Amino acid sequence: MILEIATRLLFHTMVVFSVFLLFSGHNAPGGGFAGGLVAGVALVLRYLAGGRYELGEAAPVNAGALLGSGLFLSAGAGVVPMFFGGTVLQSAVLEFDGGPLGTVKFVTTLFFDIGVYLVVIGLVLDVLRTLGAEIDRQGEADGAQAREIGHDDSEGADGTEPDAGGGEPAASSTGPTQEGAR
């Protein structure tokens, strides 16, 4: 329970920090790989705290689509400069006036970093969903692991409605009651 609450508090902070690492990678330590690893650790922590259902709520995207788009973006960032007379993976720096933000410096290697970021996150999601979630499914099927129940489920573990009497069984209407015996 403590891990689940701590994870829900830290998850969004870790994702924002991973995006910071992604965008600061061309001027400081970081980049697509480091940012992707931090986001991947956040997803692994979410999986450990809540299982495959919690992971599905945290990242409701197709891992294959992330992998494919990341590879496409990284390869495209490497090939596009060749169409403009440059070399493979050549970068360009674009500076423009951002109004109240001041001068904004944009480096084209950011597209490569975003592609790497998407590949790392897609790979982590794919591993968690295929390996980790399959272990959960097998444990549930064998009965070795209890079925995961959402926090807002109104049914008990056996599929029946929980009794509203504070946990004590309700008295049968066909038999005599023993009010004085309590």
Side-chain angles (χ1 to χ4, degrees):
M1 182 64 102
I2 294 173
L3 178 63
E4 186 175 343
I5 292 170
T7 299
R8 287 180 183 228
L9 291 173
L10 292 175
F11 177 75
H12 300 290
T13 305
M14 292 174 75
V15 171
V16 168
F17 181 63
S18 77
V19 172
F20 167 76
L21 286 175
L22 169 67
F23 286 113
S24 68
H26 63 278
N27 287 332
F33 188 71
L37 286 178
V38 171
V41 167
L43 291 170
V44 168
L45 187 61
R46 192 87 182 244
Y47 171 75
L48 290 174
R52 70 175 189 252
Y53 298 111
E54 190 74 23
L55 181 65
E57 291 292 323
V61 295
N62 184 358
L66 281 179
L67 282 167
S69 61
L71 283 172
F72 179 75
L73 195 58
S74 293
V79 173
V80 166
M82 292 180 8
F83 295 124
F84 296 102
T87 61
V88 176
L89 290 174
Q90 182 178 354
S91 65
V93 178
L94 307 170
E95 291 187 25
F96 57 92
D97 184 32
L101 298 175
T103 303
V104 177
K105 181 179 171 185
F106 180 77
V107 181
T108 58
T109 56
L110 181 63
F111 292 115
F112 180 79
D113 280 339
I114 291 172
V116 171
Y117 182 82
L118 292 175
V119 166
V120 171
I121 292 175
L123 184 64
V124 169
L125 276 174
D126 194 36
V127 167
L128 287 175
R129 287 186 180 152
T130 56
L131 297 179
E134 187 60 32
I135 291 171
D136 288 346
R137 281 189 208 103
Q138 287 176 357
E140 289 174 6
D142 294 341
Q145 185 177 8
R147 182 177 73 90
E148 290 187 21
I149 300 173
H151 295 289
D152 57 349
D153 260 354
S154 61
E155 293 183 357
D158 58 354
T160 61
E161 291 287 328
D163 55 333
E168 293 184 28
S172 172
S173 62
T174 57
T177 60
Q178 298 179 351
E179 304 244 6
R182 290 188 195 179

